[in-house]
Amino acid sequence: GSHGRVTTGRDVARDESVARFRDWLVARGQPATPQRIAIATEALGAERPLSAEDLVERLRVKGPAPGVATVYRTLDALVEGGLLSESLDPREGFRRFVPLRDDVSSAELLCTACGGVTRVADDVVGPRARTLADAEGFVPVKHRLVVYGLCAGCRAERDAARAAPGGR
């Protein structure tokens, strides 16, 4: 039952991602254990970047938490499966994980040279998409904005190559 809880676009996207993770594990002959699914559900439903320690804390509140090693192995599998993005916080020196769901706040910059993806705060398109949907009585589940181009690193390389003798 729903117990009066409203299902959001984020919930739908999270559940889709958890199902994709289960399929990904099974396809590799790995067990989709309740612990792995619990970790995936928490990580893929996150509303902000979380560290492995954050996840252990969140899971501990809900019952016996899996060990940190299990959490890290599961996070690595989620990254490998393309469901989580990993970033190293230079100030804190540890890894944080962000869900790569096609939810109602997905905006990314995709470099056509190196394939790198930069997630950006979607505070323009998201609200606009919701306003458009609401105006039509439409319930938005997900939208995705992808901006294609060259990242700063690839642009600098290109410019350096052009400036070099014999460059174009």
Side-chain angles (χ1 to χ4, degrees), residues 29-167:
Q30 296 182 33
T33 63
Q35 278 196 328
R36 281 180 172 172
I37 299 306
I39 295 164
T41 302
E42 200 63 45
L44 295 168
E47 67 297 331
R48 63 179 177 81
L50 297 176
S51 67
E53 288 71 22
D54 292 332
L55 279 166
V56 171
E57 280 308 307
R58 286 182 171 206
L59 290 160
R60 194 171 282 141
V61 171
K62 297 179 176 182
V68 178
T70 304
V71 171
Y72 267 112
R73 278 197 302 274
T74 304
L75 288 170
D76 287 340
L78 285 160
V79 169
E80 197 186 325
L83 295 165
L84 279 187
S85 165
E86 180 187 339
S87 61
L88 184 70
D89 190 311
R91 294 180 310 271
E92 299 171 314
F94 59 78
R95 305 188 299 167
R96 287 191 180 279
F97 300 86
V98 185
L100 288 176
R101 338 167 261 255
D102 299 334
D103 65 5
V104 284
S105 59
S106 172
E108 50 202 38
L109 308 175
L110 191 134
C111 179
T112 53
C114 69
V117 174
T118 305
R119 309 281 291 180
V120 292
D122 182 10
D123 47 10
V124 176
V125 179
R128 184 84 184 107
R130 277 189 291 281
T131 302
L132 289 168
D134 290 346
E136 300 296 328
F138 191 83
V139 179
V141 172
K142 53 182 152 183
H143 81 260
R144 190 158 177 212
L145 170 70
V146 181
V147 179
Y148 297 87
L150 284 180
C151 68
C154 290
R155 211 182 84 217
E157 278 180 33
R158 184 198 64 190
D159 292 348
R162 283 185 176 166

